[in-house]
Amino acid sequence: MIDDPLAYLDEQNLPDWVTETDSADKERAESRLIPSGLYEGTLIAYAPKERAPERGLYTGKTLIHLTAELYGVEGKTRPYWFDVSAEKVLQADGRLAKPSYLWGKLVAVTHTDGKTKRETLEAAKLLRLRFKIRRREADDQFPARNETDTILLSGS
């Protein structure tokens, strides 16, 4: 009987992801960010967010996690993920919070005002869209990240 079933794992045998530093993780994550720009693409999947945020504007609200396929990102097709919300949520300055704003853009490009969320999302999957994406540098609160500024109909 083996006392420690993981005893054979010493530092030389550990997979890279176990021995990497936070700095290496950060560098790899930043290298995967999409440069700021306007990219054509398609919405390929959607699902309710697994867990509602525990703090912030969307606490207790429903977020929908979208997956898009972007074309021509540094010559490649790249996956891109972002959240939207059909619930109207305002920021402190009275403007729509980004997930609510992006939902409004999806409704506008799909002409599905008054339709169900599923109808809007399915209609969006049929269209070629343009996504304006911005790369945000790290700050005191958040790591470097991509943000979706707007969604447009391709060719508009």
Side-chain angles (χ1 to χ4, degrees):
M1 183 161 139
I2 299 173
D3 291 335
D4 181 3
L6 300 178
Y8 69 94
L9 291 176
D10 59 21
E11 199 162 314
Q12 290 78 27
N13 294 329
L14 292 175
D16 290 342
W17 60 267
V18 172
T19 57
E20 286 178 345
T21 64
D22 287 340
S23 175
D25 287 343
K26 181 180 170 186
E27 286 176 26
R28 184 175 54 246
E30 285 188 18
S31 73
R32 293 179 178 164
L33 291 176
I34 293 171
S36 295
L38 188 60
Y39 298 99
E40 289 212 8
T42 54
L43 182 65
I44 59 172
Y46 60 88
K49 190 90 171 192
E50 289 293 320
R51 196 176 70 204
E54 295 175 9
R55 59 186 170 89
L57 295 174
Y58 284 90
T59 302
K61 306 265 192 276
T62 302
L63 287 168
I64 303 166
H65 191 67
L66 304 182
T67 303
E69 191 170 72
L70 303 180
Y71 310 122
V73 179
E74 298 176 321
K76 299 178 182 174
T77 298
R78 296 268 309 265
Y80 180 68
W81 300 271
F82 62 101
D83 296 330
V84 298
S85 178
E87 297 184 50
K88 184 178 179 180
V89 176
L90 301 177
Q91 300 178 109
D93 62 6
R95 292 183 301 143
L96 281 172
K98 190 63 73 154
S100 298
Y101 170 79
L102 293 173
W103 178 259
K105 291 306 222 176
L106 273 180
V107 169
V109 299
T110 57
H111 304 288
T112 53
D113 193 25
K115 303 284 185 180
T116 67
K117 288 181 260 188
R118 181 177 304 280
E119 288 172 312
T120 297
L121 294 164
E122 288 297 324
K125 287 173 67 175
L126 300 174
L127 299 173
R128 180 99 171 206
L129 303 169
R130 289 190 301 164
F131 301 88
K132 185 175 181 188
I133 297 171
R134 180 169 30 114
R135 180 187 163 131
R136 301 264 323 249
E137 296 304 321
D139 56 31
D140 293 339
Q141 277 190 305
F142 300 102
R145 62 212 176 273
N146 283 125
E147 287 187 2
T148 310
D149 283 337
T150 195
I151 303 168
L152 306 163
L153 189 59
S154 183
S156 61

